[in-house]
Amino acid sequence: MNVRALAAKAIFNVLEKGISLSVALPDQQQHLTNGKDKALLAELCYGVMRQLPQLDKCVSDCLSKPFKAKQRILHQLLLVGCYQLYFTRIPAHAAISETAEACRQMKFDGLVKVINGVLRNIQRKEAPLNTDNDTLKYNTPAWFIKRLKSAYPENWADIIEQSHQRPPMWLRNNQLSQTRDNYLSQLAEHEIEASAGDSDDAILLAAPKDVMQLPGFTEGSASVQDGAAQWAATLLAPQANEQVLDACAAPGGKTCHTIECEPTISMVAVDFDAKRLERVQQNLDRLNLKAQVIHGDAADIDSWWQGDKFDRILLDAPCSATGVIRRHPDIKWLRKNNDIEELALLQQQIIDHCWKWLKPGGTMLYATCSILPQENSQQIEQFLQRTPDATLIQIAQQSSAEDIGWQILPGQNNMDGFYYARLVKAV
Ligand SMILES: C[S@@+](CC[C@H](N)C(=O)[O-])C[C@H]1O[C@@H](n2cnc3c(N)ncnc32)[C@H](O)[C@@H]1O
């Protein structure tokens, strides 16, 4: 299969069908066997998602009329062609001929000339990409820029800049297998350059690696997890033999890390999404860890749990994921402005319900991979106002003692954007 045709299909599925790129891309990658082709397919899809408004404007300006509905995928194919011309080192003649060949493979033989013509036109003009408005200049939807400007009047542009960077690869050393220093030595022996991160198990790789090249990966010596996400287990601080609930657990990164930190706990890992829940079990199995994995609603614990209340609850709530745009640039186009208030309401329902299931004296760690105050500091501020038996415990890393929780911004210490608030229930 032609890589450009597969890229157009994946991008079409994201933009026209609302499927996330983390699903749409592997769906197309499975048609390829060669690792280099798979990497190129990923580069084309991620690249188009990052630069979408500018590419879209460039392509639309070159078309005398838009494609008919049934040919719409050719618009996405042109985005792929345009991306190659502006942002890759692929020679222009190869980029154009491969993209035209993709059009033929997609059985639009009659339109090969159009694809060729538009791309040649773009190549000939060599015009700088349009930056006439903020959406084009920052390749970011206007509603999100507005929210960022309001939340971060001084550094909103830096945040956008960071959200367009290629993210580093982080590993989590499995402290049940070896010490972090030991694993760093093993990586060095395999000539994999890496350094220790701030939290106990975090390792930052100098360059991304295929996990199969990592020493002992299949046996569970390490996992892939961003440095920000690795703070969850430390901040939750489970103690020996406690009963812990991970209320929104899938795919299970934090569930597994929490058990690695304190293997004597009884862990209950719950998620609403049965398909994603399978990944929790797979991760537990690879790491040889045990947890009770339950398909259930964190806003209705009564319907699936007959046991005691929990000593600790990790609530890694469903959120806008605006802190992880550098890893998932499709979020910019899949999220809509109205989603934020809807998500904040859902988070409120889940946090209130989970609180009822926390023992007196117990700890709840509220987390999101969002950078919007509505889902983070404002959410927790409102929770504290309506919950007299809740106290916010300061997190040492937060920038100021007055802050409500710890907001990590994308790129800060190489980490993803993330938010943590630690809450304790009165005895
Ligand atoms: C941010 S992700 C969790 C990531 C996970 N904690 C990890 O570290 O791998 C949020 C999860 O919440 C789940 N979710 C959304 N609404 C839920 C609900 N009402 N009850 C339980 N899980 C829910 C989603 O299916 C999604 O898997």
Side-chain angles (χ1 to χ4, degrees):
M1 279 296 278
N2 178 298
V3 177
R4 281 76 178 172
L6 296 174
K9 187 85 206 286
I11 294 164
F12 178 88
N13 285 342
V14 174
L15 299 179
E16 305 284 328
K17 295 191 182 166
I19 298 172
S20 96
L21 188 58
S22 57
V23 173
L25 176 61
D27 270 1
Q28 300 308 319
Q29 273 176 326
Q30 66 179 353
H31 298 295
L32 299 169
T33 46
N34 179 310
K36 275 195 180 151
D37 285 346
K38 287 187 186 189
L40 174 61
L41 176 56
E43 160 68 17
L44 297 175
C45 293
Y46 277 91
V48 169
M49 290 300 152
R50 283 197 191 99
Q51 312 294 142
L52 185 64
Q54 287 181 339
L55 298 171
D56 200 48
K57 174 90 175 107
C58 178
V59 165
S60 302
D61 285 352
C62 288
L63 285 168
S64 49
K65 55 178 181 353
F67 289 106
K68 292 184 197 134
K70 282 193 179 148
Q71 304 161 344
R72 179 76 189 155
I73 195 165
L74 294 181
H75 188 86
Q76 274 84 33
L77 182 64
L78 280 174
L79 298 176
V80 172
C82 189
Y83 176 76
Q84 293 169 84
L85 294 175
Y86 276 97
F87 295 102
T88 71
R89 292 199 194 138
I90 301 168
H93 64 87
I96 295 173
S97 68
E98 285 291 323
T99 309
E101 175 55 27
C103 179
R104 209 184 317 276
Q105 270 199 16
M106 291 155 85
K107 307 250 181 310
F108 292 108
D109 292 50
L111 290 160
V112 172
K113 271 195 189 148
V114 176
I115 300 295
N116 234 318
V118 168
L119 293 179
R120 282 199 192 292
N121 197 2
I122 292 172
Q123 181 209 2
R124 211 174 311 117
K125 280 204 273 183
E126 278 187 352
L129 288 165
N130 191 310
T131 54
D132 282 354
N133 59 41
D134 272 1
T135 296
L136 288 165
K137 190 168 166 196
Y138 296 105
N139 282 303
T140 299
W143 68 265
F144 185 45
I145 298 178
K146 193 169 166 206
R147 284 189 186 260
L148 282 179
K149 280 184 176 172
S150 144
Y152 304 98
E154 272 146 38
N155 52 342
W156 62 272
D158 293 342
I159 294 173
I160 293 179
E161 162 79 24
Q162 285 297 331
S163 300
H164 283 89
Q165 299 303 313
R166 280 152 212 259
M169 182 167 172
W170 285 88
L171 299 181
R172 182 183 84 233
N173 176 57
N174 181 354
Q175 52 176 279
L176 299 176
S177 301
Q178 68 278 307
T179 64
R180 175 169 63 179
D181 281 350
N182 182 299
Y183 197 66
L184 280 165
S185 307
Q186 291 185 40
L187 289 170
E189 279 163 27
H190 284 74
E191 295 184 353
I192 298 173
E193 201 185 323
S195 55
D198 290 341
S199 61
D200 290 350
D201 302 309
I203 292 176
L204 181 64
L205 295 188
K209 276 271 167 285
D210 181 341
V211 290
M212 288 310 162
Q213 291 177 14
L214 300 172
F217 184 81
T218 323
E219 296 77 42
S221 295
S223 302
V224 177
Q225 188 176 39
D226 188 80
Q230 293 192 44
W231 279 103
T234 306
L235 297 175
L236 187 66
Q239 303 297 306
N241 303 312
E242 283 184 339
Q243 176 100 306
V244 179
L245 169 66
D246 186 348
C248 296
K254 300 181 191 77
T255 309
C256 293
H257 191 200
T258 306
I259 309 172
E260 286 168 5
C261 288
E262 186 46 72
T264 61
I265 59 171
S266 301
M267 171 61 94
V268 178
V270 173
D271 204 280
F272 200 50
D273 183 329
K275 193 94 198 97
R276 281 169 64 87
L277 205 58
E278 288 171 14
R279 303 255 319 272
V280 178
Q281 194 58 57
Q282 286 162 6
N283 280 321
L284 287 163
D285 291 346
R286 183 179 64 84
L287 295 162
N288 200 16
L289 302 171
K290 296 267 172 293
Q292 206 174 330
V293 179
I294 299 177
H295 180 211
D297 183 351
D300 188 16
I301 298 177
D302 319 44
S303 70
W304 49 262
W305 185 248
Q306 281 76 47
D308 289 343
K309 290 183 176 179
F310 297 91
D311 296 294
R312 284 173 208 258
I313 298 179
L314 170 60
L315 175 47
D316 189 14
C319 73
S320 62
T322 41
V324 292
I325 287 174
R326 60 184 196 155
R327 288 193 194 280
H328 304 284
D330 52 321
I331 284 167
K332 290 188 291 182
W333 317 115
L334 293 177
R335 283 273 166 267
K336 302 289 173 241
N337 193 26
N338 289 345
D339 294 349
I340 307 305
E341 274 67 38
E342 278 177 29
L343 281 162
L345 192 62
L346 175 64
Q347 291 153 358
Q348 184 191 317
Q349 285 163 355
I350 298 180
I351 191 172
D352 283 347
H353 186 74
C354 283
W355 192 253
K356 289 193 214 155
W357 279 92
L358 186 67
K359 276 186 192 164
T363 295
M364 176 186 284
L365 185 68
Y366 175 82
T368 73
C369 56
S370 165
I371 50 174
L372 296 175
Q374 290 84 350
E375 302 176 84
N376 298 342
S377 54
Q378 286 174 18
Q379 180 71 266
I380 295 304
E381 190 174 21
Q382 288 158 12
F383 173 74
L384 290 166
Q385 277 165 8
R386 67 176 179 269
T387 317
D389 59 353
T391 307
L392 180 72
I393 306 291
Q394 200 180 320
I395 294 176
Q397 290 80 4
Q398 66 190 57
S399 17
S400 127
E402 278 83 60
D403 284 359
I404 299 178
W406 180 25
Q407 179 68 68
I408 306 171
L409 294 176
Q412 190 178 321
N413 290 351
N414 285 305
M415 295 188 286
D416 283 344
F418 228 87
Y419 175 79
Y420 288 111
R422 195 161 50 178
L423 301 154
V424 168
K425 194 171 191 172
V427 182

